[in-house]
Structures are given as C-alpha cells and as structure tokens.
Amino acid sequence: MRYVDVQISRETKPISEKGFGLPLLLATSKEMDYKEYTDIGDVAADFKENTREYKLLSRMFGQALRPSEIAVYGFAYDAKADGATALTAKMNELIKTHNDFYYVVCTEQGDEEITALAEWTNTQDKLYGVTTSNVELAETIKGLYDNTFILVHDKPDTYVAEGLIGTCAPKKIGAYTWTFKNVQGVPAVKYDNTMINRIHEANASTYINEAGLLLNSKGVTTSGEYIDVIQATHYLKARIAESVFRLLALRDKVPGTDTGIGLAVAEVEGVLASTVENTTTGEGIIARDEAGNPMYTITFPRRKDIPKNTLAQRILPDIQWTATISGAFEKVQIRGVLTV
C-alpha cells in the first residue's frame, strides 16, 4: 500500500530537506550544465528574453511567493532527430550527480514529450507539472501517473502549471492544497462549462475566473489522486528513510535486541508525530481524532518473533504504520430552509 510500504536503503547521503522546495527546469534550447538561479535577473545572462526558458522561469520567479532557487539543466533537443526518449535519457544522466530537486518542468509541450516525462517522473519520488492546450492528451493518460499533473489552457505559453509550482514550492507540505491557487500574470481560459467539466473528468485542471478570482480549478494528478496526497506520500517516505538512516549511520551500533527495535520505531514515530495536524492552523499531513489524538498506529516485531536467519542478516523487518491523512475540504454543501 502507498502509505505503509516504506523501503529504506543504506545510502551514502541522506535525502535533503531542500529537495522538497527545489524545482528543476529541463531546458531544450542549448547545452547547459546544472545551475541554480535565485532571481530572474540572473537568468538573462544565459537565456534571452524571447526564449521559452526565460518566459517559463519568469512565470515561476514572478509569483509573490516564489522558490528561493530554481535549478536548470539543458541540452539542444531536436524532436525529429532525437525523439522524446532523449529527454528521459538526459534526466537519467542528471540524477547521477544532481538528484536534490523535487519538481520537474520542461520547455517542451508536445504530447510525446509530456508522456515521456510523465513516465519517467512516475519512477521517481518527484512531481512533474506541465501546461498544454490538448485536452485529448489528458484523456489519453488519465489514470496512469501519480506524479504528474496537467493544466489545460488555451494559451499554453503562459506556463500556468509551471507558475503554480512556483507559488506552491515554497510552502510547507501538508499546509495547503493546489486547488484555488492564483498564478500571477496568467489570464483565465475562454472555455465554457462543458469544456471545463471535460478537463476535470480527464483528471486535469484549468485556470478559471470564479466569482472574480483567478484560480487553479482542480488540484489532482493524472491518476486522479490529489497532488497534496502524493506530496505527503513522498515526504513521509523520504523523512522516515532519512531518520532511520541517521540512526544507523551515526550510532556506533543499533543493537539487534528489543532495545534496538525500540530505537528504530522511535525514529519512525518521531517523523509521523512531526506531521500531525496543528489544531490552531490546520497544517499537517496526519489527522487528529475527536479527542485530539493523532490518528496513526505503528506495529513492530519483538526480537523473539524475528526468524534467526533474518537476524543473522542484520535485518529488522516488518515495522509498519497506518495513518489517516487530514486531507482538505474543497467543496461545501449547504442546504437551508426559509419559512414565514
């Protein structure tokens, strides 16, 4: 199950907090080594103002709340000569040396390119957002990818999905949803309600004017899951892996006894407890019950219950947890009666 099976591998470097706020642009106009920008003014040194890269980064940096850094990695892409798999090959090359980013955006908006990057991102604990004018593409990949969200807009070169990442990336995971968010500088679509409903049915979103407010109409991935739920999954998996790895790496020894089991369980519980809903602000991934108690449980074995062969391999198996996500309300039903 998505929320229970956390696989922890022994790595040389723990997962960084920075990664959950860092977007990466895969640029396709020229070769470019990995580089991080802190402001659109710095971008002008590498990309002219009429390039797609500059326009996309302008949208992301142009939000009131914006990322402190955006990474860029590029190559000269020829769709006919290279094919969309060149994009994923480039991403595979990148993560060998730079994997400390979470959001993925790209200047390419073709169907093949979007599909290729969606397939690649689905193999990573990352989130890919893209703007397209083609609702048929959203209908084609509906139900397929947990880690991709599509925003359909009649002016895809406004890069509204990418701007949405720009405004959401700095926020704390568990503190917000992606629905209703405003992206500065983007006009509402000119679609009628039939088209908007079609987009929503395809597990995509669009950008609308609702009661005078410009906003993202729906916050779901192409699989139909809410984006904030996918983020919560990635976040909990990463933080638990990091915490348990630090336990293994920084102590001289984690004993193969009930004491050692308790140490590992405490690390897991520490992460879960840190994400419980704040009763004042409502922030948090994990909900509380009516009595205010955190809604998660952890089960684990005792040493006597672990097979000897497993102990001999120094493996602590079967620490499992279940948690109730706090979620959010995005629609309210009110029924009233007036009487004389």
Side-chain angles (χ1 to χ4, degrees), residues 115-137:
T115 301
L117 286 171
E119 291 178 351
W120 181 86
T121 310
N122 219 47
T123 66
Q124 312 291 318
D125 288 333
K126 302 183 186 298
L127 189 66
Y128 168 49
V130 64
T131 309
T132 179
S133 59
N134 186 12
V135 67
E136 288 84 4
L137 171 64

Side-chain angles (χ1 to χ4, degrees), residues 14-22 100 102 235 239 242 246:
I15 300 169
S16 166
E17 287 279 358
K18 177 183 177 183
F20 282 95
L22 181 65
D100 194 28
Y102 181 60
Y235 183 86
R239 294 289 77 82
E242 179 185 37
R246 283 175 174 166

